[in-house]
Amino acid sequence: MAVRDYIRQRFFPHLWCPGCGHGIVMNGLIRAIDHMAIPKNDIVMVSGIGCSSRITGYVDVHTLHTLHGRALAFAAGVKLSRPELRVIVPMGDGDALSIGGNHFIHAARRNMDITAIVMNNRIYGMTGGQFSPLSGSGTQASTAPFGNIDPAFDVVSLAKAAGAGFVARSTTYHVTEMIDLLKQAISHRGFSVVEILSQCPTYFGKHNGMESAVDMMENFRKNTKSLGKIPEGYSEDKVLRGVFVNENRPEYCQEYERIIASAMKGET
Amino acid sequence: MTESLAFMQGNEVCVEAALYAGLDFFAGYPITPSTEIAEHLARRLPSIGGKYIQMEDEIASVCAIVGASLTGHKVMTATSGPGFSLMQEGLGFAVMAEIPMVLVNVQRGGPSTGLPTGPAQGDVMQARWGTHGDHAMIVLTASGHQDLFSVTVEAFNLAETYRTPVILLLDEVVGHMRERVMIPEKNQIPVIDRLRTSVKAGVDYHPYLPREDGRLPMSDFGGEHRYNVTGLYHDMWGFPSTNPKVVHGLIRHLTDKIRHHAMEISRVKEYHLEDARTVMISYGSSARSALHVVNHRRARGERIGLLELQTLWPFPYSLVAEKCENARLIVVVEMNLGQMLLQVKRAVRHPDRVMLANRVDGVLITPSDIQSILRLIQGKGV
Amino acid sequence: MKKILKDIRINKAWCKGCGICVHFCPGKVLEMDENDKANARYPELCICCMMCELRCPDLAIEVISDDESTDEVSS
Ligand SMILES: Cc1ncc(C[n+]2csc(CCOP(=O)(O)OP(=O)(O)O)c2C)c(N)n1
Ligand code: SF4
Ligand code: SF4
Ligand code: SF4
């Protein structure tokens, strides 16, 4: 199918700012779904609140636009109640890891077959440029007028430690890699996390000396490195991209089927 | 299922009734005095092919049942005071997105962690107004196990009929006491199932366009119709809108769909009200003590009666006014500082005749407590 | 197999002029027009890498080449 068959065309042009990376993530996600030929009726997309969460309005699948930080909790109900559906949860960095941090680690621990996408622009876009738990110390934001002293999470390490079966990272510059990682994440049987570095030129860029989306994507190009291309003794301070975890762990809904089977037999 | 006699805790009655009504998905987080509901369902649900999940907190619990309701399931969560506070944002989402669900709050003493094991009825107003913004809410309660059974089934029926969350506001005494209950045969109490759309695939389906009778047929997530669900003001397809007409229409719809059916939703029990000069009004475990007092005083010839409320919200103002028409004295019996008292005063012709008999120390208000308060009031010659 | 360009379609109503496609085009095919919208100035230089289409945040570009459906990704 063509890209336009996956979107709700009447809402285009969309509301994201010129150059906003969230549009590139949506673009890549649509390609991934299309390559995998998943029927639209089999997909439920659940989002929270934020610029990133607007994505559910645009993609023509079953869409659930929920509360700030709570998307994964709603998604757990959707998935466990109908495990045959594919559940995809795009979130902002504040959405996923600040207000939604508890749901994030528990979703990873449970390992329910849900694909979580962290659209990490390192800022609160929707509310106008306050720092997020991914901004990192030394950055500038509207609520850090003297510079940010809040250290950042490492999404990959966090997801890994919490037990996610699949953990990967890419950027909006590395689009073919992003599509490939999204496909792997969606096919993975378990909780998968794809962190995608995304640009918010309007706030993060403006506050931090990057005037345009192009500058910010150039930054992703220069300051990240693919895991597969790391030479021995590599010590440069670059953000790594690629697949960090890919392991099969017991999937929650399948485990629950076992519970049902023994409960029905009257075993305890 | 044939009719059967059982002897069990209120929380377990609630579980059996929920299953009778078709519950097949529960998400929750343990908290006294509601925990037995989760414990029983963890065992009972998988044995009938349903799903139970213990979430990371109450916020996640209410969100999870909304998700499961959208895939076509009958859902419930159960909690108490602190957890109920945490659920308010999700509850508001369910109001806005018109999600059928049942939320059980087995009340304990508050505010804060309060009295985990002591009875109280202090969440009456929170149940009505806990989530932000104008909205309507259906809140039911019961004082004994047989009623608890039918009221729980009714909670599910109303949730489906009006596409709305329904709160079952129990209290510690009812939740934990044990008494006889007759589990009815299948179909003895009517069970209302979800109204699903008959719109065919490929035809424009409007998830948020009420039919003539006000009901909104649903389509399960995963089905033929792809639409949007949001907590923002939205149009008839579920897409966000800030159009003043749409916004106004939706808030009106959300409140009117319940307000206009207040009489049908309202459940009360009447004891000796025909000629009562003293009318007691109570609900939940307090109503048990009040009834005791009424029976005792009736036996001695006093014209006293009891109006027991099972629907707390929407509050049955006109019915209360009518029942109190000839009363010289109206006594509201509740375990809080007068939350229902305010409503009764608003309802009746002579608010100055309305008195409060209460107890707020974590101990059930007893018949003798009520007797002493009545003697005090009557001695003053009200 | 080498792809041969048939058309670069730019939906000017959706293009927000961010310049991402122009900046990263390996063949220097694209430019911004007088209305600050992307424009395929030198289609003959296009190598059909699809990068502009995939990187456009506004889904405003379609690169159509002869051997495939428009939405195929080279990876
Ligand atoms: C409970 C609650 N608190 C705060 C907000 C306000 N709010 C809306 S979006 C947002 C942050 C958005 O940032 P992020 O999640 O990183 O997504 P982005 O907008 O950058 O894509 C905040 C704080 C809210 N809607 N709900
Ligand atoms: S404010 Fe930032 S995140 Fe939000 S749409 Fe604009 S560029 Fe994107
Ligand atoms: S990337 Fe898209 S929106 Fe940006 S200038 Fe090119 S066509 Fe326009
Ligand atoms: S397909 Fe590649 S070469 Fe052709 S215009 Fe797009 S980016 Fe440039």
Side-chain angles (χ1 to χ4, degrees), chain A residues 151-225:
Chain A
F153 273 134
D154 175 340
V155 182
V156 166
S157 314
L158 188 70
K160 203 167 156 178
F166 182 92
V167 182
R169 181 191 283 132
S170 188
T171 85
T172 51
Y173 172 80
H174 302 91
V175 272
T176 49
E177 174 191 84
M178 171 187 19
I179 294 164
D180 175 51
L181 295 181
L182 286 171
K183 280 157 63 178
Q184 289 189 50
I186 295 168
S187 349
H188 179 82
R189 286 289 260 157
F191 190 71
S192 49
V193 177
V194 184
E195 179 192 11
I196 301 172
L197 305 186
S198 175
Q199 71 275 14
C200 169
T202 306
Y203 295 114
F204 191 84
K206 199 158 283 168
H207 282 296
N208 291 281
M210 285 173 283
E211 281 306 307
S212 68
V214 165
D215 291 347
M216 299 181 82
M217 289 170 73
E218 279 289 356
N219 182 47
F220 294 152
R221 184 171 71 86
K222 291 185 199 125
N223 295 318
T224 66
K225 199 163 177 70

Side-chain angles (χ1 to χ4, degrees), chain A residues 8 10-11 40-41 60-63 65 70 73-74 77-78 80-82 102-103 106 110 252 256 264 268, chain B residues 43 49-53 56 59 63-64 68 71 73 93 221-230 232 239:
Chain A
R8 292 163 172 157
R10 63 187 181 285
F11 301 124
K40 292 194 284 184
N41 281 345
D60 182 29
V61 294
H62 301 284
T63 52
H65 178 237
R70 316 298 172 200
F74 285 88
V78 171
L80 181 59
S81 64
R82 265 191 90 168
N102 199 36
H103 307 308
H106 287 279
R110 247 178 235 123
Y252 194 90
Y256 200 85
M264 283 182 152
T268 46
Chain B
R43 185 179 296 275
K51 308 275 171 75
Y52 165 91
I53 185 168
E56 52 273 21
I59 301 175
C63 296
T71 65
H73 294 81
F93 182 91
F221 267 25
E224 294 291 356
H225 301 289
R226 294 181 302 278
Y227 59 96
N228 190 53
V229 174
T230 178
L232 291 167
F239 291 108

Side-chain angles (χ1 to χ4, degrees), chain C residues 8 21 24-27 29-30 45-53 63:
Chain C
I8 300 177
C21 57
F24 292 109
C25 170
V29 176
L30 306 164
L45 301 178
C46 176
I47 57 170
C48 302
C49 70
M50 304 293 292
M51 284 301 148
C52 54
E53 179 174 327
V63 178

Side-chain angles (χ1 to χ4, degrees), chain B residues 41-282:
Chain B
L41 283 169
R43 185 179 296 275
R44 296 281 274 118
L45 275 173
S47 69
I48 56 159
K51 308 275 171 75
Y52 165 91
I53 185 168
Q54 184 168 308
M55 295 301 289
E56 52 273 21
D57 57 30
E58 288 86 349
I59 301 175
S61 302
V62 67
C63 296
I65 63 168
V66 168
S69 185
L70 281 168
T71 65
H73 294 81
K74 286 200 176 178
V75 303
M76 180 168 97
T77 186
T79 189
S80 186
F84 190 50
S85 291
L86 286 178
M87 288 185 181
Q88 295 303 329
E89 194 193 12
L91 182 63
F93 182 91
V95 169
M96 183 59 115
E98 304 192 63
I99 309 293
M101 57 165 263
V102 174
L103 192 171
V104 186
N105 174 4
V106 188
Q107 292 170 95
R108 61 198 242 171
S112 188
T113 312
L115 276 172
T117 53
Q121 297 175 316
D123 303 350
V124 170
M125 280 296 181
Q126 187 191 19
R128 175 63 187 88
W129 290 114
T131 197
H132 57 282
D134 279 310
H135 59 276
M137 193 62 81
I138 299 178
V139 182
L140 307 181
T141 191
S143 62
H145 288 6
Q146 205 58 54
D147 288 346
L148 176 56
F149 195 99
S150 47
V151 165
T152 302
V153 175
E154 180 74 356
F156 281 88
N157 287 348
L158 293 175
E160 292 298 337
T161 305
Y162 297 104
R163 264 189 79 165
T164 185
V166 174
I167 296 171
L168 204 48
L169 196 65
L170 309 182
D171 60 63
E172 192 274 338
V173 172
V174 170
H176 279 165
M177 75 183 181
R178 290 179 183 277
E179 74 178 4
R180 251 167 49 120
V181 61
M182 188 70 80
I183 308 284
E185 252 178 81
K186 202 170 181 267
N187 299 328
Q188 208 170 315
I189 305 179
V191 166
I192 295 178
D193 282 319
R194 182 153 304 181
L195 179 66
R196 289 187 169 82
T197 181
S198 54
V199 171
K200 298 271 174 311
V203 180
D204 198 10
Y205 161 66
H206 304 104
Y208 291 104
L209 183 66
R211 298 195 310 200
E212 202 107 299
D213 63 359
R215 293 189 70 183
L216 295 91
M218 297 182 75
S219 173
D220 299 345
F221 267 25
E224 294 291 356
H225 301 289
R226 294 181 302 278
Y227 59 96
N228 190 53
V229 174
T230 178
L232 291 167
Y233 275 92
H234 48 268
D235 61 21
M236 62 187 173
W237 294 276
F239 291 108
S241 171
T242 53
N243 177 333
K245 259 198 172 139
V246 172
V247 172
H248 185 259
L250 181 52
I251 192 166
R252 280 292 175 198
H253 160 71
L254 292 178
T255 48
D256 288 352
K257 73 177 180 181
I258 290 168
R259 215 166 51 97
H260 290 167
H261 295 95
M263 288 308 277
E264 292 138 77
I265 295 169
S266 155
R267 289 175 69 118
V268 296
K269 286 180 97 172
E270 300 175 26
Y271 300 93
H272 308 296
L273 284 179
E274 321 72 44
D275 61 345
R277 287 288 171 267
T278 300
V279 172
M280 297 223 264
I281 299 180
S282 190

Side-chain angles (χ1 to χ4, degrees), chain A residues 16 20 22 48-54 67-70 91-99 119-128 130 132-133 200, chain B residues 89:
Chain A
W16 287 313
C20 175
H22 294 347
I49 296 290
C51 292
S52 35
S53 297
R54 287 188 191 276
L67 300 169
H68 189 36
R70 316 298 172 200
M91 294 171 285
D93 46 305
D95 201 36
L97 292 147
S98 190
I99 190 164
M119 300 156 82
N120 179 9
N121 57 15
R122 304 177 66 193
I123 199 112
Y124 288 166
M126 173 148 277
T127 42
Q130 302 76 31
S132 89
C200 169
Chain B
E89 194 193 12

